[in-house]
Amino acid sequence: MNKFFSISLLICIMIFHLSCNGEPVKTGNKNGMIVTAHFMASEIGKDILQQGGNAYDAAVAVQFALAVVYPRAGNIGGGGFAVIRTKKGEYNTLDFREKAPLAACEKMYLDSLGNVLSGLSQNGDLAVGVPGSVDGMCELHKKYGRLNWNKLLLPAINLAEKGVVLTELEAEKLNAYQDRILAQNPTKEKCPYLKRTGFSKGDTLVYSDLAETLKRIQIHKRNGFYAGKTAHLIVDEIKRGKGILSLKDLETYHSVWRPALVGDYRDCRIISMPPPSSGGIALLQLLKGAEKFNLGQYKFSSQEHLHLITELERRVYADRATYLGDPDFYDVPMVKLLSKEYLDNRFADICFNKKSDSQEIKAGEVNWIESFETTHFSIVDKEGNAIAITTTLNGNYGSKVVVDGAGFFLNNEMDDFSIKPGVPNQFGLVGGQANSIRPEKRMLSSMTPTIVEKNGRLFMVLGSPGGSTIITSVFQNIINTIEFGMDPQQCVNAPRIHSQWLPDEIYAEPKAISSKVREQMTNFGHIIKIQKKIGMMANIFINEQDGLIGAADTLRHKDSRSIGY
Ligand code: GLY
């Protein structure tokens, strides 16, 4: 082979390797690592760390930056959860989940005959829960921040004022949602999220109203959002759309510090989110099932591996639908659900040569999951402070309602309640009394920001968007690492499957199941549906030898980025 061909071949192999494997693993970063869904937000996080901020300062700046550069899920009009492990090894979690408005009631989405009024919990002003993100960031900064609050808002304000250059992905997504955004904002001529001729990659979008809102938050902290001009703009908007959220709702909203949900799995300690997220409990149940059956003995992607995780997921999601809800309103049996005795019993009937039947429930027509609503970011600083935040508007662009004069989307989180027992929400999830609507109650979530310790040391910081698929994506990333020994990027890249009790189906990424295994599983009675992408991980791995290793899910979402230094 001559020199030219050798070099060309080498380049081809490198390109092939990159396109198959996403980002190569970069080792040697010791000073900080940020992984987010958008490269500009990751850069901002790094700048804050370089200015002497800690991981919590960087998280605040990233949350506000994502509200500008990634408006379909980054937000100030939504909510989320943070899981924290400090450099001293202390755990904490922050619940800044939205709440039902004071005027909400159990049957607010039903007609007089008890039928669901289609779409009301998903689009428009009645779908909006009381936003929690701004209060959450204020609380996070108050308790753990080091830099001046002003500095943390500055990058987002600059971006909004100067304009953001649209990536191909964001232009495509805005175009795909134009009709739905227009339907909720028909008279807003200056709305930056609407363009009659369609958006293109490279367009610069200036968000003047959002910049002013961020400045009010910069000056007045929580009062820049929950009182004064912003609060009035929100409530005026809600009234125009016949929603129920009031000034009193905004005034009384507060996020909550909750003890982390902690559980052991093999030689790891899992630190995750307790209710009102279902994520932590469900993740621990799944991991304990993986340990019980010694999942790692099977080959990755074998029939045994995929069948077993499906059977575990089926049982765990049935528990989720029945027992989980806001612990401030419903006595969630957390200890029981995670006890060895209970789980041994729960998983005892898993059979290795046939699928079990999910209980018959009349589940309505399920629209498949819009996969990248919600967003997750992970940050670790040089001192070892770590934070995993998952934050959301619920659907892409939430309720699609833009607050006139304030320039941001409001969430449609009310759809995460069980609006009628047994009727699935936009993710196909069903629920009952534990997750019924009550004034000021928080709707059940699947968000699963998680930190893993191994032998007492910080080992992984991870999470994902994806509605109901969040839990199973996080689960598969932990077992890919612990059971199957994958390296950080292999673990993120590996194809995923998802099952959630109802609908009684397995969703699989195109390369997740070989035709031979598919045939075996179909013979067991499984129904397999192909789903282009499941989840979008934003992971950090930590080990002494390699330092901080970021693993973004660039294969599934090319704008995402891990930045370390
Ligand atoms: N809105 C998605 C979730 O909280 O699970």
Side-chain angles (χ1 to χ4, degrees), residues 206-373:
V206 175
Y207 303 107
S208 316
D209 289 341
L210 178 57
E212 294 308 310
T213 303
L214 291 169
K215 282 183 202 167
R216 288 192 290 276
I217 297 168
Q218 186 188 38
I219 297 167
H220 304 293
K221 299 194 175 168
R222 69 159 267 135
N223 282 345
F225 186 89
Y226 296 91
K229 182 167 178 180
T230 315
H232 280 95
L233 288 170
I234 295 172
V235 172
D236 289 349
E237 182 65 53
I238 292 278
K239 278 188 188 149
R240 272 193 295 278
K242 302 197 171 25
I244 55 174
L245 192 149
S246 65
L247 284 174
K248 183 98 186 139
D249 283 311
L250 293 169
E251 190 190 314
T252 54
Y253 179 88
H254 287 286
S255 37
V256 186
W257 291 103
R258 298 187 189 273
L261 185 69
V262 180
D264 292 331
Y265 149 70
R266 297 202 186 271
D267 56 355
C268 295
R269 174 152 286 187
I270 309 297
I271 303 139
S272 195
M273 196 65 216
S277 183
S278 60
I281 290 184
L283 175 66
L284 276 169
Q285 288 186 315
L286 291 169
L287 289 171
K288 286 182 184 286
E291 186 173 7
K292 173 181 164 63
F293 290 100
N294 193 15
L295 178 62
Q297 71 181 297
Y298 303 115
K299 199 167 154 265
F300 181 78
S301 258
S302 63
Q303 173 264 119
E304 291 87 352
H305 162 211
L306 300 179
H307 173 74
L308 178 56
I309 68 173
T310 302
E311 291 298 313
L312 293 172
E313 287 167 6
R314 177 169 284 130
R315 286 158 181 77
V316 165
Y317 276 79
D319 281 359
R320 180 197 190 278
T322 313
Y323 297 117
L324 300 191
D326 182 349
D328 297 341
F329 285 75
Y330 182 84
D331 200 5
V332 178
M334 279 211 284
V335 174
K336 169 101 184 169
L337 287 172
L338 292 173
S339 74
K340 180 166 171 8
E341 190 192 10
Y342 174 80
L343 290 173
D344 280 348
N345 227 343
R346 189 80 180 103
F347 300 142
D349 61 346
I350 290 182
C351 177
F352 271 80
N353 56 13
K354 79 172 175 45
K355 103 182 230 312
S356 51
D357 277 332
S358 291
Q359 186 187 314
E360 285 277 314
I361 284 189
K362 181 110 185 65
E365 206 36 41
V366 176
N367 297 322
W368 175 256
I369 303 160
E370 304 168 11
S371 54
F372 290 161
E373 73 307 309

Side-chain angles (χ1 to χ4, degrees), residues 81 97 277-278 320 373-374 392-395 413 416 426-427 429 443-447 466-468 470:
F81 299 107
R97 181 72 161 165
S277 183
S278 60
R320 180 197 190 278
E373 73 307 309
T374 304
T392 190
L393 289 164
N394 195 15
E413 219 71 59
D416 270 349
Q426 68 163 332
F427 302 112
L429 292 166
M443 51 299 279
L444 187 63
S445 172
S446 298
M447 291 190 275
S468 55
I470 294 173

Side-chain angles (χ1 to χ4, degrees), residues 94-169:
L94 180 61
D95 166 359
F96 54 99
R97 181 72 161 165
E98 299 93 324
K99 283 177 147 186
L102 286 156
C105 63
E106 185 168 0
K107 299 192 175 155
M108 63 187 278
Y109 299 113
L110 306 183
D111 67 15
S112 56
L113 299 173
N115 299 315
V116 171
L117 293 159
S118 176
L120 269 194
S121 64
Q122 293 181 5
N123 296 304
D125 298 78
L126 209 52
V128 180
V130 188
S133 291
V134 174
D135 186 75
M137 292 307 102
C138 291
E139 284 298 315
L140 179 62
H141 180 254
K142 207 181 334 169
K143 198 169 180 75
Y144 292 106
R146 183 183 293 160
L147 290 189
N148 189 298
W149 173 256
N150 270 348
K151 271 196 180 163
L152 308 182
L153 270 288
L154 208 53
I157 293 170
N158 284 340
L159 278 173
E161 269 184 337
K162 293 189 181 132
V164 176
V165 179
L166 276 189
T167 65
E168 187 177 11
L169 273 179

